[in-house]
Amino acid sequence: MRIVLLGAPGAGKGTLCKRLVARYGLLHLSSGDILRRHRAEGTDLGKKAQSFMDSGALVPDQIVVEMMAAAIEETSAADFVLDGFPRTVNQAIELDKRLATSGHSISAVLNLKIADQVVAERMTGRRSCPRCGAVYHIKNLKPKVDGVCDSDGVALIQRPDDSPEVVANRLKTYHEQTEPLVDYYGNNCTVLDIDGGRDPGEVSAAVFEQLDALVGA
Ligand code: AP5
Ligand code: MG
């Protein structure tokens, strides 16, 4: 299964991906996590991406397409979930072309829908593990020990792009540049609309039901 996960900032893409990985054994490829790793390691790519990410804009298509094509190629896994990529119609066209060269295509697109008003509350309460990328929330999804990752015991951090001003910009960017992908995929792929406003267990249960039906499990 090759899944594309679409959704606004804070829709719950990362949270859902952890559950998709656990259930279907998919490889989780998050463009945001890979970009943050480049920044932490101080690579040229990370330096180029920095100002775009900090302002809530998109990193230029060419940089992200090459980075994600390499990530897909590096793995021999046939099954993956793409989280945060593609994010523009151009990126989607490039992805389709590159998958086609190896005889592959996207199996389904999950469109995680959420109201803009819910996003702000989720973002201010989010805490992330800088090592493994696990995502928590100070009210909705608490770690077992306050401020510490359940998986690896590392101190949780707040993402610098979760300030209210940057979140507002990320939402604007999403509506202008990423939402048109729903129509793009609607024309050539199965798009499953998911209500992301429910609690995380309900969201993943709804997704599993639809994906199980799709793969005939
Ligand atoms: P990226 O890291 O992809 O950020 P994003 O799309 O803005 O999404 P988030 O990671 O903020 O939210 P999420 O949907 O994963 O929600 P989460 O599960 O964490 O991208 C960052 C930046 O990198 C971009 O702004 C851009 O600059 C650049 N970039 C990345 N990809 C790019 C691309 N393809 N092209 C160009 N530039 C790119 O959940 C949020 C919070 O809510 C958490 O605290 C969680 O615990 C809580 N929560 C989750 N689900 C629920 C629920 N159902 N109920 C209650 N709380 C919930
Ligand atoms: Mg995320």
Side-chain angles (χ1 to χ4, degrees), residues 50-131:
Q50 191 165 327
S51 61
F52 298 102
M53 295 174 78
D54 287 348
S55 67
L58 293 183
V59 176
D61 284 347
Q62 204 192 342
I63 295 178
V64 178
V65 167
E66 294 308 328
M67 179 186 87
M68 292 306 286
I72 292 170
E73 224 167 81
E74 254 170 43
T75 163
S76 48
D79 294 337
F80 51 75
V81 52
L82 297 175
D83 161 5
F85 175 81
R87 235 175 169 100
T88 63
V89 171
N90 276 339
Q91 290 181 17
I93 291 170
E94 275 305 312
L95 173 66
D96 282 348
K97 274 194 213 157
R98 286 165 193 247
L99 287 176
T101 60
S102 48
H104 290 139
S105 60
I106 295 300
S107 321
V109 174
L110 298 175
N111 180 29
L112 210 47
K113 297 170 91 166
I114 185 97
D116 284 6
Q117 307 87 280
V118 180
V119 167
E121 190 262 333
R122 287 195 183 175
M123 299 309 226
T124 46
R126 171 165 56 189
R127 300 292 181 272
S128 320
C129 175
R131 183 181 294 166

Side-chain angles (χ1 to χ4, degrees), residues 168-180:
N169 252 339
R170 286 161 64 198
L171 273 171
K172 186 167 176 282
T173 304
Y174 167 77
H175 289 303
E176 288 174 358
Q177 300 191 55
T178 306
E179 229 168 16

